Amino acid sequence: MDIKDQGMSVHDEVIDKKPIYHDAVGTVHLVDGTDEIVLIPTPAPDPRDPLNLPQWRKWLVTITLGLFSITSVLITSGLGAILTDVQAYYDYDPRVSDLMTYPTLFMGVGNLIAMPLAMAVGRRPVFLASALVLVIGSIWCAASGSLGSHIAGRDILSMAAGQSEALCPLIIQEIHFLHERSSTLAWFSAIQSIGTAALLISSTYLTQSLGWKWWYGVFGIVNGLILALSFLFVPESRYDRPTDAFEGAVHIHQLGGDDRIERATTHHSVVLDLVRYKPRTLKNDLQIFHGSTDWRAFVTCWKQMIQCFLFPNILWVVLMNSTVLGIYVVMVTEYAGILVQPPYNFAFTTLGYVQTGQIAVALIMIPVLGYGGDFLTRKLAERKGGMSESENRLIPLIIPVIIVIGSCVFFGRAGSDPEAWSPWTIIVTYSAEYFGFISIVLLGYTYSLDSYPERAGPILVLICAVRGFISFGISYGVTKFVAQLGYASALNVCAIVFGVVSAFGLPVFFFGKKIRSKTMRWAVDNKDLNVE
């Protein structure tokens, strides 16, 4: 929504040419006293501001987005659970592997197209269009009459499924405040992980009963229901704010009067203004398009993506995400082959139950890194006179970094010498690496969004698209990589590479504030808020 649509005007010139942030973007006053938390971003007195949605509605949005992400991840990445049936159907055509490798590439492509579009026309129309394409793509794959058509259908639906990685977290970020961001994103990730794992377990039984085409058919019907829920419950979350709203204190320049500062806390939130603003209504919520379309924002998003990629701290976050995903691709590609062979001899139908470990680690992540991360951020802010630094979000990274390195070492040794190791070594380390993966994704999101709140969209696209492209490249070379080096050596290489990338987090942590200060000129829009 444009500021002018709120009954406010904007000066042609910004009064102060210096950035509104007094120190560095991402350094904010979060805590007043001992128990009063500043609401960041500062909500407007507008009932249609998404930050003013009631808490139950915000949870309903988060759950709906989580359901969308479950089927998105399942249809694009879960085909491995029924791949043997698909291979047999196509007489073991080697091109069947394209059904597994290309979706990650097209998820990245989908992010690069959809996110700039969402910046131009709004989040709601792009999300609903993606949900619709996911339904159409599922039907396409179920009705495909050739392998080529099947591959094309999966590529199309993967472009839509990519919105579960970037657009969904962006919407969640835009309807929640900074102090609750980690926990809500953790819940979103947990819903995705638990739902996907449960459906992966059921996929083998569904395919055995109805055939692999009905695997697409059933989830196509489910996607149709999710589309209906999304239309009803996911509102537009785009809302144009002045820059200092992201600092927690809006400086309102009253033309012809004294300026004032508008702040809001958990104890003293903004009072909704029903005189100057329209109330939130069901009719308004159900509209597809809200506000004006700004095609310049489409180009600007691409420009900002390039700028943010050159920020040292964001580049490091992208590399961390890409490296841990690469390790997960290695493990998810190889764990089944290890378990079905002697001496473990797992039955094919029991492999799905290995995914129950992902349910367990998702439940662990919510209190430890979700609520725990928000709690740590508040407590550290209290110790520093209420000031919060975004680098505080990086402290919990110590846990997943240690877990991922340990998982690589033990997974590699068990794969190389299964006679000497229990199958539980493979199962536990595979699940532990998944914990590391989703934890690093969560902490990377929260750190980046806290550091550069006005660049949330471009940064999320960078993280998701780059790791998707890297995953696509790795998926082609995993088997050869492991065959040449052996499990132990291959996973040792993974551990060393990940350890080196992780070590660069130390200068990011200690010099992050200086980095944010130096890059602030490219990350702050300097929007003022002025009223008649």
Side-chain angles (χ1 to χ4, degrees), residues 37 40 50 62-63 88 150 156 167 169 177 269 284 309 495:
I37 300 171
I40 303 173
T62 302
I63 292 171
H150 189 178
I156 295 298
L167 184 57
F177 299 105
S269 188
N284 177 257
F309 188 71

Side-chain angles (χ1 to χ4, degrees), residues 193 356-366 431-432 434-435 438-439:
S193 300
T356 56
Q358 296 189 5
I359 298 176
V361 299
L363 292 174
I364 293 172
M365 183 189 65
I366 294 173
S431 299
Y434 182 75
F435 172 81
I438 60 175
S439 298

